[in-house]
Amino acid sequence: MKLAAVIWDMDGTLTDSAALHFQAWQATMAEHGIVYSWDLFALGFGRNNFEILSEQMPHFSSAKISEVSEAKESAYRRLLLPGSLALLPGVGPWLQELHRLGMHQVVGSSAPMANIVDMVHILGIADRFHAILSGYRLPRGKPDPLLFLRCAAAADAAPAACLVIEDSIYGVQAAQRAGMPSIVIGPLARDSAIQPYVENAWPPCLAAESLAEIKLGQVLPWYTQRKTSYKEQPDQEQPEKSSQNDVV
């Protein structure tokens, strides 16, 4: 078996968008008389809006959740101005090297497609990706593996032949449940919560402060030394066909 595809999370992995998202959440929730703290924001960052609001605002109806979610994402996109985002350390060289090798790269983000498209445009990296998938309207968000399984299907790769690059515990859990090796970067790499996954034999997980600390050659042995068939599949429900709003 060999590495066939790399699946990138967007927010906190390709770029640091947390401050902009927090501003958008604060402004949106303030319109509903709610003071939205950073701690509350951090608890849900990286997850599907509908799941976040269902847990944090249980008094909201389904219609209210949809309304607030759409308003928040519109507020976020208004903050996406030229120069408002930059690639995180090490991301640029990784994107370039994987592109040079002809590796399929896929964005698998919980964000709405409109956000993802605007962000890759601002970052100038759209041509690096074989596919871009949004989990915004999926019935189950991370840590459910559905989005990553769809990413693997879009890249025509077996889940075990994929590498997920993430920054959230929910994303790492989704990768684990999909049977995909992963790299976790950012503050989570220093958190004890990631240790059980780092110590896991398969799928393996590597933690580092940034991709600048990791070389592609460090993870390739995960695949070349793996004794299972390339067609190995995780013990998960297979993803249904993506809609046009989910993938570009």
Side-chain angles (χ1 to χ4, degrees), residues 111-118 132-134 136 244-248:
M113 185 62 76
N115 291 21
I116 303 171
V117 170
D118 284 355
I132 297 174
L133 278 78
S134 166
Y136 185 67
Q244 290 182 345
N245 290 329
D246 295 333
V247 58
V248 298

Side-chain angles (χ1 to χ4, degrees), residues 134-187:
S134 166
Y136 185 67
R137 299 192 185 281
L138 289 182
R140 305 182 301 277
K142 302 173 188 176
D144 190 279
L146 179 58
L147 175 60
F148 288 158
L149 292 174
R150 286 190 169 192
C151 289
D156 194 24
C162 295
L163 171 66
V164 172
I165 305 180
E166 263 282 357
D167 73 304
S168 76
I169 193 68
Y170 305 110
V172 172
Q173 290 169 344
Q176 292 275 314
R177 293 174 64 184
M180 300 176 179
S182 60
I183 293 174
V184 59
I185 61 172

Side-chain angles (χ1 to χ4, degrees), residues 106-248:
V106 181
V107 172
S109 170
S110 299
M113 185 62 76
N115 291 21
I116 303 171
V117 170
D118 284 355
M119 292 171 75
V120 297
H121 175 71
I122 287 174
L123 293 167
I125 57 174
D127 64 344
R128 292 294 186 249
F129 300 107
H130 178 75
I132 297 174
L133 278 78
S134 166
Y136 185 67
R137 299 192 185 281
L138 289 182
R140 305 182 301 277
K142 302 173 188 176
D144 190 279
L146 179 58
L147 175 60
F148 288 158
L149 292 174
R150 286 190 169 192
C151 289
D156 194 24
C162 295
L163 171 66
V164 172
I165 305 180
E166 263 282 357
D167 73 304
S168 76
I169 193 68
Y170 305 110
V172 172
Q173 290 169 344
Q176 292 275 314
R177 293 174 64 184
M180 300 176 179
S182 60
I183 293 174
V184 59
I185 61 172
L188 180 60
R190 304 187 303 270
D191 196 305
S192 60
I194 198 63
Q195 284 308 304
Y197 305 103
V198 172
E199 296 167 1
N200 194 31
W202 184 268
C205 177
L206 179 62
E209 185 69 25
S210 78
L211 282 177
E213 300 176 8
I214 305 173
K215 300 296 184 184
L216 181 60
Q218 290 176 246
V219 302
L220 292 180
W222 290 347
Y223 304 90
T224 58
Q225 295 172 9
R226 182 69 172 162
K227 301 301 183 182
T228 54
S229 165
Y230 178 82
K231 295 184 178 180
E232 175 183 316
Q233 297 289 332
D235 184 20
Q236 297 288 345
E237 175 185 343
Q238 293 303 301
E240 59 268 29
K241 185 177 180 181
S242 300
S243 71
Q244 290 182 345
N245 290 329
D246 295 333
V247 58
V248 298

